[in-house]
Amino acid sequence: MLIQKVWRRSWLTLLIGVGTGSAAAETPPLAEGGYLGDLPVVLSVTRLAQSLADTPGAVTVIDRDMIRRSGARTVTELLRYVPGFLVSGWNGANPIAQYHVGFAEDASRLQVFVDGRSVYSSLFVGGDAHRGLAAIVMEDIERVEVLRGSNSAAYGSNAFMGVINIITRNSADTRGTLVSVSTGSNGINDQVLRYGWGNNDASFRVTAAHRGDNGYDMREFYPSFYGSPSDNSALSQFDFRGDMRLSPQDDLLVTFGASNYRTDEGDGTKGNAPYSTSDQAAHVMVRWNRQLSDTDAFYLSASFDDDDLNSPVYISGHSQRSNIEFSYQQQPLESVRTVWGTSWRRESAESPLLFNNPGQPSKYAQTQTRLFGNAEWRISPHWLLNAGGLLENESGDVGSSFAPRVMMNWQPLPEHTFRIGATKATRSPSLFELYGSDLILKPSGAVDSWDNMGRGLAKPERVYSQEIGWLGDFRSMRLTVDLRVFQESLRDLIRRTSLPASAQPVSGMTVKE
C-alpha cells in the first residue's frame, strides 16, 4: 500500500428532474398535492429533520412511488437516478455504485445506512458497502436519501464522499399479506412474501425474499477475450421489523434479519476460472426513542452485525461490528435547533488471506468513539446557517480527527435556495489497509499480491470541499433544478499496489486453480 498526497479538483453537477419536487408521502399520480406540496423532508444530513431547501448540501430523495415506477430490482440500480453516480458491474450480476468514478473505484468511501444502521463491511480490501446495498428488499423501502458530498461532520469517517440512507416502511403501514413474483429473461427469478400484523400500539412485519438472475454473458461483447464466464447471483433473506409504542412519549424499534448472498465470479479467461462466493450475514438492532416535548427528544440505539464471506480463490473471512449511539435533539431558542450525541463502535475482521503476514495474527480489531454536534440557526426568514462537526478517535496509532462543516442557505423566494459553504471530511484506514497483506499465486507461478506498507501506521485520508449550490423548485412546470458547483482537494490518499511477479511466495499463500 502506498500512502501519498493526491490533489483532486472536481466541479459542476447538474440535475434537472421532472416531478422530483413531489412530497415523500404517496399521492395519486395526477393529484395536485403531489406538485404543490412541500419539498420532501430529509432526515439524514444533519440528524435534524429538514426540507431540501434547508439542508447543508445537495440531496436526492427517491420516494416509494419512484422506486415502484423505476422497475429497479436493487438499490444499486436506483442510484442511476442520482447525479454523479455510476452503476457498473463487479461482474455484471454483481453491480456496485460508485461516486466520483476513477477515485472511489472500490466504493469504499461511501457510507450506507439502513434505518440508521451502517451496512459498511470491514471484510473487504478497503472496506465496502456494495453487498449491504444488495441485501435489501425493495418492497420494504419507504425512501432513499442520498447526500452528494462529504458528510463526516455528521456521520464520521466512512461518510467521506457521500451518504446513502435507506429508510424502510413502518410496520404499521404494511399490515396484511403481500406476495410478489417476477420472472424474466437471463434467469430473473424474484419472489417476496411479506406479512404484517398488529394495532396502533404495536405492529410487526416479517419478510422472506429471494432474488436471482444469470447476469451477463460478456462473450457477446468480447468474444475473443472471455471464455465461459459465470455471472449468476442469488440472494435469500429474512427480515423482521417491530414498531412498539411503550407510552405516549416512548417508542421502540426492533429489527433483525439474515441473508445468504451467492455470486458466481470468474470471467473464464486463463487463470480466472469460474467460481462461487457466498456471503452469510445477520444483524439485530434496537432503538429507543423518547419524546420529551414538542421540540426535544433523544434516542439510544444498539446494533450488532455478523458477516461470513467464503470464496475458494479470493477473500474469505469473518467480521463483526457492534455499535452503540446516543443522540439528543433540542430547541433552546425559537430560531435555533441543535442535535448532539456520542457513539462507540468496535469492529473486527479475521481472514488468513487478507491478513497473510507470516508470524502475525490473522484477526484484527479496532474501536472508535465519536462526539458530534450540529446546529441550525434561522437568522431571518431568508437566511439559515448550518454549522457542526464530529470528533473521532480510533484505537491504535490512527489517532483523532475533527471534521467541521459550515453552510449558509439564502432563500430570496420560496421556490429558490442558494447555498455556500465548506466542509472537511476524513476516512479512517480499514483493517486491511492497516494490517493486511493479500497474496494469491496464479497457475503461471506469478504472485498476485496486494501488499500493505502501512504496518498499522496509516493515517486518515482528508478532503477539503467548498461548494456553491442552487435549488430551484418550478412547481407549475413540475420541474426541480439542483445545481452544485464544488471544488474538492483530497490529501493523504491510501493507494494499494501489487508486488512484482518476481516476488517470492510466502507460507499460507492461496493457490488459484
Side-chain angles (χ1 to χ4, degrees):
M1 184 184 305
L2 175 64
I3 304 177
Q4 60 182 359
K5 180 180 292 187
V6 178
W7 290 77
R8 176 185 176 93
R9 301 179 183 272
S10 306
W11 66 282
L12 194 59
T13 298
L14 173 64
L15 167 65
I16 300 181
V18 179
T20 58
S22 60
E26 273 197 342
T27 57
L30 299 179
E32 185 180 53
Y35 302 110
L36 301 183
D38 293 334
L39 289 172
V41 173
V42 178
L43 303 175
S44 56
V45 180
T46 63
R47 297 176 180 261
L48 294 168
Q50 298 174 304
S51 70
L52 283 178
D54 292 342
T55 59
V59 181
T60 299
V61 178
I62 304 175
D63 62 18
R64 186 153 50 95
D65 188 58
M66 184 175 179
I67 294 173
R68 179 181 61 85
R69 294 171 182 269
S70 71
R73 299 172 59 232
T74 66
V75 175
T76 304
E77 294 178 20
L78 279 179
L79 297 177
R80 297 180 189 274
Y81 299 97
V82 179
F85 274 82
L86 175 67
V87 176
S88 60
W90 193 295
N91 261 339
N94 312 306
I96 59 174
Q98 305 173 6
Y99 188 54
H100 288 357
V101 175
F103 161 64
E105 61 274 357
D106 55 8
S108 64
R109 296 170 174 93
L110 290 174
Q111 178 63 279
V112 180
F113 293 106
V114 178
D115 293 327
R117 178 183 61 87
S118 172
V119 297
Y120 194 90
S121 174
S122 58
L123 251 190
F124 293 87
V125 172
D128 205 290
H130 77 279
R131 292 186 185 272
L133 276 173
I136 301 169
V137 180
M138 300 295 288
E139 285 81 356
D140 287 346
I141 297 176
E142 179 64 34
R143 67 181 180 276
V144 180
E145 301 174 358
V146 183
L147 175 66
R148 308 191 307 277
S150 302
N151 200 15
S152 291
Y155 292 107
S157 60
N158 294 136
F160 190 67
M161 299 306 299
V163 176
I164 302 168
N165 187 31
I166 301 163
I167 301 169
T168 64
R169 303 185 66 186
N170 191 294
S171 56
D173 298 327
T174 55
R175 298 175 194 168
T177 303
L178 169 71
V179 178
S180 173
V181 177
S182 302
T183 60
S185 58
N186 294 328
I188 292 177
N189 183 19
D190 303 342
Q191 303 96 35
V192 177
L193 174 62
R194 185 179 72 200
Y195 178 68
W197 72 98
N199 52 42
N200 293 335
D201 293 327
S203 56
F204 309 93
R205 175 178 71 232
V206 292
T207 304
H210 172 83
R211 185 179 73 241
D213 59 60
N214 294 338
Y216 302 111
D217 189 342
M218 298 305 294
R219 290 173 297 182
E220 178 181 350
F221 307 101
Y222 304 99
S224 62
F225 180 78
Y226 286 97
S228 300
S230 184
D231 198 29
N232 301 352
S233 70
L235 171 67
S236 300
Q237 63 190 112
F238 171 85
D239 289 302
F240 169 88
R241 172 168 174 150
D243 297 271
M244 291 151 278
R245 175 165 293 181
L246 306 180
S247 74
Q249 295 80 31
D250 299 285
D251 296 292
L252 186 68
L253 170 65
V254 178
T255 68
F256 60 83
S259 64
N260 185 3
Y261 187 33
R262 180 191 56 78
T263 58
D264 290 345
E265 304 178 20
D267 54 30
T269 58
K270 182 179 179 181
N272 193 17
Y275 60 94
S276 294
T277 295
S278 66
D279 187 8
Q280 297 176 328
H283 74 272
V284 60
M285 183 185 73
V286 179
R287 188 174 69 213
W288 168 40
N289 299 274
R290 183 172 179 83
Q291 193 73 33
L292 301 173
S293 68
D294 291 341
T295 58
D296 296 2
F298 71 80
Y299 74 76
L300 179 64
S301 68
S303 64
F304 177 77
D305 292 76
D306 187 272
D307 191 10
D308 271 302
L309 185 62
N310 296 283
S311 171
V313 298
Y314 191 44
I315 301 172
S316 293
H318 178 229
S319 72
Q320 292 183 331
R321 182 174 59 253
S322 303
N323 190 82
I324 300 174
E325 183 171 286
F326 172 82
S327 178
Y328 189 95
Q329 177 183 329
Q330 58 186 150
Q331 188 169 351
L333 301 172
E334 184 177 353
S335 59
V336 176
R337 293 194 302 156
T338 64
V339 60
W340 61 270
T342 183
S343 67
W344 174 88
R345 185 184 73 186
R346 183 185 187 275
E347 61 180 337
S348 65
E350 182 177 12
S351 174
L353 180 58
L354 280 180
F355 305 109
N356 195 338
N357 298 302
Q360 300 296 319
S362 60
K363 181 177 181 179
Y364 291 88
Q366 63 182 2
T367 59
Q368 181 183 82
T369 55
R370 293 171 174 170
L371 180 65
F372 57 85
N374 282 275
E376 175 194 271
W377 179 22
R378 177 69 64 179
I379 301 173
S380 74
H382 303 292
W383 292 91
L384 180 72
L385 176 67
N386 283 282
L390 183 143
L391 178 64
E392 191 169 59
N393 180 265
E394 296 270 2
S395 61
D397 295 321
V398 176
S400 301
S401 60
F402 179 65
R405 173 175 57 202
V406 177
M407 184 74 70
M408 181 68 77
N409 289 21
W410 176 47
Q411 194 170 23
L413 297 171
E415 298 82 9
H416 299 278
T417 300
F418 298 88
R419 297 182 299 262
I420 184 169
T423 186
K424 172 192 172 184
T426 61
R427 186 184 79 92
S428 297
S430 69
L431 287 171
F432 173 80
E433 289 167 337
L434 283 169
Y435 308 110
S437 183
D438 179 16
L439 295 97
I440 299 176
L441 182 62
K442 295 182 178 180
S444 62
V447 174
D448 184 12
S449 166
W450 294 105
D451 189 41
N452 181 356
M453 303 301 293
R455 303 297 184 241
L457 302 177
K459 297 300 182 182
E461 300 176 336
R462 295 174 291 158
V463 58
Y464 299 87
S465 177
Q466 299 84 42
E467 175 178 337
I468 299 175
W470 167 49
L471 177 64
D473 183 24
F474 301 91
R475 302 188 185 189
S476 61
M477 301 172 58
R478 304 175 184 177
L479 177 70
T480 298
V481 177
D482 191 349
L483 175 67
R484 180 180 182 233
V485 181
F486 61 97
Q487 175 179 282
E488 294 172 344
S489 299
L490 297 125
R491 304 180 183 182
D492 301 327
L493 295 188
I494 300 172
R495 296 293 190 186
R496 296 179 295 275
T497 59
S498 293
L499 290 174
S502 60
Q504 294 297 315
V506 299
S507 60
M509 183 177 296
T510 298
V511 178
K512 180 181 286 187
E513 299 296 340

